[in-house]
Amino acid sequence: MTWLREDLIYLAGIIDGEGCITICREKKLRKHCLTIRYWCVVNVVNTNKVLMDWLHNTFAGKVRSRRPDCIPLNWKTPYQWERVAQQAKELCVEVLPYLKLKKAQAQILITFADAMKKPFYRHYGVPKEEIEVRDRLCDTIQALNKKGRVIDAH
């Protein structure tokens, strides 16, 4: 996909300020077997519907609003725009040169998405070493995204 440089620069600012670049992990026990599912996400949450429509029209992805019963009455409706999986990776590759604050997260997401392109392990299971790589990348990006104060041990 080819996007305008100006749009990518603007998007980088939006992602740095209002967005999130992450890897999600879900662990479930099914029929006495632990399954782990991972997926890459780039999203932006904002109350400006015009911005969300621009993101959707320019970069595709999905836009959804939060259910009215899930937000206080005096709040504006929050919207979430997102691209997932390989679409998230494609976007990160293009926006990477313009990111200031979330460049490390974008690089990790790209590395993770490339690693997920390895052979499909449906019948044999994912090798332990591959799970360790995925978990390490997921833990690293989640640590970078952690909210709250960083406590310096020194």
Side-chain angles (χ1 to χ4, degrees):
M1 186 106 206
T2 304
W3 294 298
L4 296 175
R5 181 176 179 270
E6 294 80 20
D7 289 342
L8 291 168
I9 292 169
Y10 185 60
L11 177 61
I14 293 168
I15 291 172
D16 274 341
E18 302 285 332
C20 181
I21 299 172
T22 195
I23 301 164
C24 300
R25 173 178 43 210
E26 177 184 73
K27 295 182 179 184
K28 286 188 176 180
L29 188 60
R30 293 182 180 166
K31 296 181 182 178
H32 308 290
C33 180
L34 179 65
T35 61
I36 306 171
R37 186 171 80 104
Y38 304 87
W39 64 100
C40 301
V41 178
V42 175
N43 72 26
V44 174
V45 176
N46 196 285
T47 60
N48 188 311
K49 182 75 164 87
V50 173
L51 173 62
M52 296 292 124
D53 289 341
W54 178 81
L55 289 168
H56 177 70
N57 293 332
T58 307
F59 300 102
K62 293 184 181 179
V63 175
R64 43 185 176 172
S65 61
R66 298 260 171 93
R67 291 189 352 232
D69 60 324
C70 294
I71 59 171
L73 292 175
N74 60 336
W75 284 20
K76 294 179 185 177
T77 301
Y79 300 94
Q80 177 174 309
W81 168 81
E82 70 179 4
R83 287 180 59 118
V84 297
Q86 288 300 317
Q87 286 187 345
K89 184 234 175 175
E90 291 168 6
L91 189 72
C92 283
V93 167
E94 296 297 322
V95 80
L96 183 66
Y98 311 111
L99 290 167
K100 301 291 182 197
L101 305 177
K102 296 183 177 155
K103 191 177 287 264
Q105 288 93 324
Q107 290 169 326
I108 293 167
L109 186 142
I110 292 165
T111 301
F112 184 90
D114 286 343
M116 292 295 285
K117 285 184 174 180
K118 290 184 178 174
F120 197 63
Y121 302 106
R122 178 183 283 287
H123 300 291
Y124 308 106
V126 179
K128 182 180 177 184
E129 301 78 28
E130 180 70 21
I131 292 172
E132 289 171 358
V133 168
R134 293 175 183 183
D135 280 341
R136 181 178 45 77
L137 292 168
C138 187
D139 291 343
T140 302
I141 203 168
Q142 289 180 1
L144 288 169
N145 289 333
K146 188 173 172 80
K147 294 181 180 179
R149 297 168 71 188
V150 177
I151 308 297
D152 188 8
H154 300 279

